[in-house]
Amino acid sequence: MDILITIGVILVVLIAYIGINAMRLKKAVTNLTQEQFIEGYRKAQLIDVREQKEFEAGHILGARSVPSTALRQRYKEIRPDLPVYLYCQNTGRSARAALFLKKRGYNQIYQLEGGFRNWTGKIKTKKQ
């Protein structure tokens, strides 16, 4: 019986954690469809938070590489007074980057829904 209570408590805590994170994320970032993303990213700072090798393999035309692993050291390169358009491969890293930037006073943060894997627009690759 004690095991069932323990499992129940763990499940409740896990569900609460997931719910709280979802609410924090919703306040930190606005998800945009590809069409909405295309409409606004030319007037914003377009940031690819994937690692450098992923960026070089192909990225959205006009994007700047600021890998999520380097964001703590490099976030001051991103202007807080301009909109920030983030993307990664799926949305996990860009979501975490959005939360990080939100904590540091950035308010206009947008994320590509579905990430780069769903992108069908123009891309640029590094020549080999």
Side-chain angles (χ1 to χ4, degrees), residues 11-117:
L11 283 174
V12 167
V13 169
L14 186 60
I15 291 168
Y17 175 78
I18 291 169
I20 290 168
N21 269 349
M23 288 187 327
R24 284 178 51 219
L25 182 59
K26 191 170 185 160
K27 289 181 181 177
V29 67
T30 302
N31 283 306
L32 300 176
T33 65
Q34 179 171 315
E35 293 76 26
Q36 294 168 320
F37 201 80
I38 289 170
E39 284 177 21
Y41 83 81
R42 287 186 181 91
K43 298 174 188 156
Q45 302 168 93
L46 180 58
I47 309 294
D48 184 329
V49 296
R50 299 175 303 153
E51 293 304 310
Q52 193 62 39
K53 283 188 176 189
E54 294 173 286
F55 181 82
E56 290 172 0
H59 58 272
I60 297 173
L61 199 58
R64 183 169 24 142
S65 176
V66 180
S68 59
T69 54
L71 190 60
R72 287 190 180 279
Q73 294 79 33
R74 295 184 54 195
Y75 77 92
K76 290 185 179 178
E77 295 174 21
I78 303 169
R79 291 178 52 178
D81 60 323
L82 293 175
V84 179
Y85 277 52
L86 299 171
Y87 73 92
C88 63
Q89 197 63 27
N90 297 306
T91 59
R93 288 178 279 182
S94 58
R96 286 189 299 278
L99 286 171
F100 176 83
L101 292 172
K102 182 72 172 177
K103 286 180 185 175
R104 279 146 188 86
Y106 293 77
N107 293 313
Q108 301 176 69
I109 307 170
Y110 304 90
Q111 167 178 263
L112 177 60
E113 193 173 81
F116 185 72
R117 68 182 163 90

